[in-house]
Amino acid sequence: AILFMMLLLTKAQSVADGAPTGLHVIWVAVPGDCILATSGAPSRVSWGHETLEACQVACQDDKRCWATSFTSYSGYPRCSLLTSPPTGATPKQGDASCSVKVTPLSRNAFRGPLRVAAAGAKSAGRCTHALNMQAGDWSRCDFAEFTMSGTDISKSNADFARFSFAVLVGLLGSETSFRGAYFEGAIARRAVFNNADLTDASLIGADLQGASLYDAVLVNAKLDDAKFFNATLTLANLANANAPKASFNGADLTTADLRGASFDGASLKGAVLFEADLTGASFKDADLTGAVWGSVVGFDTADFAGARNAPSLHAVECQQKTKPCAPPVLVYG
């Protein structure tokens, strides 16, 4: 079965199979005109697209289009749709820009890093986005609204960096310090933040469905309206975190530190809180339907006023160490 999957993946790395389209497209742009493997390689000039973004839209849903080369030629915008991955880009000339759909095939074909420098202050050398950003200093960099899906920023310093409304699907951020960083409205589904430090970070409205935050630190983090559906938060430290109306449906909070955290109005349907520390935590008006409890700490100090399907004292008396238990519930009011 493994060999079969490897063959499928290998087959996918062919120009004949077509470029990604729609929501599967991750764009990376570099200054200069795209360079093709041969001067006669096929491309199509598409007139009428007056901006780089419009040129990308023309390519977005076209599986024959692997990249765009955009420039203003004699005062007229010129958009070229490339039918094979470019091998590089010319030195920057005017407003010329080479935009590439990021795939393993395009990464291998492109000579040099596929990266994009942001506009304004973000274009300073230290704050340049690349696919490999491991062990870097990205503190206070502004990556707001960037597409950084699949980027590896692990083992880095990203304190007070801004990722607001960025697309961070599959981002690798393990062992990185994001203290005081901004992730408002970011889409970070399936991102990996294992052992990361997000102390004082703002994740208001962020989408972290299926993300992994094993042993991560989110002390004092702002998690209002954030989505943690099926996220892994085992051993995570959420002490004094503020998560009103956030969703932790199906999340794994086994042995998590929730001391002083607020989950008022949050949804924790089917969440696992086995051996979690609830000391001083607030679950006012939260929905705890189907939540799995057992051997929790500080149950008597937690506030479950108005909570739906709040746990009974039986929850803290469960002694099943091999697996959690779902105890009877105490219905308030």
Side-chain angles (χ1 to χ4, degrees):
I2 294 176
L3 179 59
F4 177 71
M5 288 301 296
M6 290 178 65
L7 289 172
L8 286 179
L9 290 173
T10 301
K11 183 178 184 298
Q13 307 309 308
S14 168
V15 173
D17 290 316
T21 58
L23 297 177
H24 299 288
V25 174
I26 298 173
W27 286 107
V28 176
V30 295
D33 287 315
C34 294
I35 299 173
L36 295 174
T38 60
S39 59
S43 65
R44 307 191 311 280
V45 176
S46 182
W47 299 99
H49 303 293
E50 298 184 355
T51 65
L52 170 62
E53 292 75 16
C55 187
Q56 290 176 341
V57 169
C59 178
Q60 182 92 8
D61 294 320
D62 187 347
K63 67 182 300 184
R64 300 169 299 171
C65 184
W66 287 83
T68 68
S69 197
F70 178 84
T71 187
S72 294
Y73 181 73
S74 298
Y76 295 96
R78 184 176 186 273
C79 171
S80 297
L81 308 182
L82 281 59
T83 56
S84 63
T87 58
T90 63
K92 182 177 180 180
Q93 298 177 346
D95 63 352
S97 178
C98 177
S99 299
V100 183
K101 291 180 177 179
V102 179
T103 67
L105 181 63
S106 60
R107 289 177 189 169
N108 290 333
F110 203 92
R111 300 186 188 117
L114 277 174
R115 63 187 183 184
V116 57
K122 293 184 287 186
S123 62
R126 188 178 65 81
C127 292
T128 298
H129 166 229
L131 290 175
N132 186 350
M133 299 169 65
Q134 290 186 62
D137 180 9
W138 314 108
S139 57
R140 299 185 184 277
C141 288
D142 190 350
F143 298 116
E145 300 184 11
F146 270 34
T147 295
M148 300 177 68
S149 297
T151 296
D152 189 346
I153 194 173
S154 58
K155 299 182 179 180
S156 297
N157 176 11
D159 291 346
F160 302 102
R162 187 174 293 276
F163 300 92
S164 304
F165 303 101
V167 180
L168 311 173
V169 177
L171 181 90
L172 303 178
S174 293
E175 300 182 49
T176 289
S177 179
F178 294 99
R179 296 174 68 92
Y182 301 88
F183 290 89
E184 298 99 331
I187 301 175
R189 297 176 184 175
R190 302 183 302 280
V192 180
F193 294 101
N194 296 338
N195 304 107
D197 188 351
L198 291 108
T199 299
D200 296 317
S202 176
L203 292 90
I204 297 173
D207 184 348
L208 291 102
Q209 297 184 55
S212 180
L213 295 99
Y214 178 87
D215 204 18
V217 178
L218 294 100
V219 174
N220 296 322
K222 300 176 182 67
L223 311 176
D224 314 44
D225 297 301
K227 299 179 180 65
F228 289 90
F229 300 147
N230 301 314
T232 298
L233 291 140
T234 306
L235 286 173
N237 185 349
L238 285 80
N240 297 315
N242 194 33
K245 298 183 179 180
S247 178
F248 291 85
N249 295 346
D252 188 349
L253 290 148
T254 299
T255 62
D257 186 346
L258 309 180
R259 291 176 297 171
S262 173
F263 296 93
D264 295 351
S267 180
L268 291 93
K269 295 179 181 178
V272 178
L273 295 97
F274 187 60
E275 294 188 339
D277 190 342
L278 313 181
T279 304
S282 177
F283 296 89
K284 294 178 182 178
D285 302 313
D287 189 345
L288 306 172
T289 303
V292 181
W293 310 78
S295 301
V296 295
V297 177
F299 173 82
D300 56 335
T301 68
D303 189 347
F304 293 100
R308 182 180 300 177
N309 295 314
S312 71
L313 183 61
H314 178 69
V316 297
E317 294 176 343
C318 292
Q319 297 299 320
Q320 294 175 260
K321 298 296 184 180
T322 57
K323 62 179 181 179
C325 56
V329 296
L330 177 62
V331 181
Y332 283 82

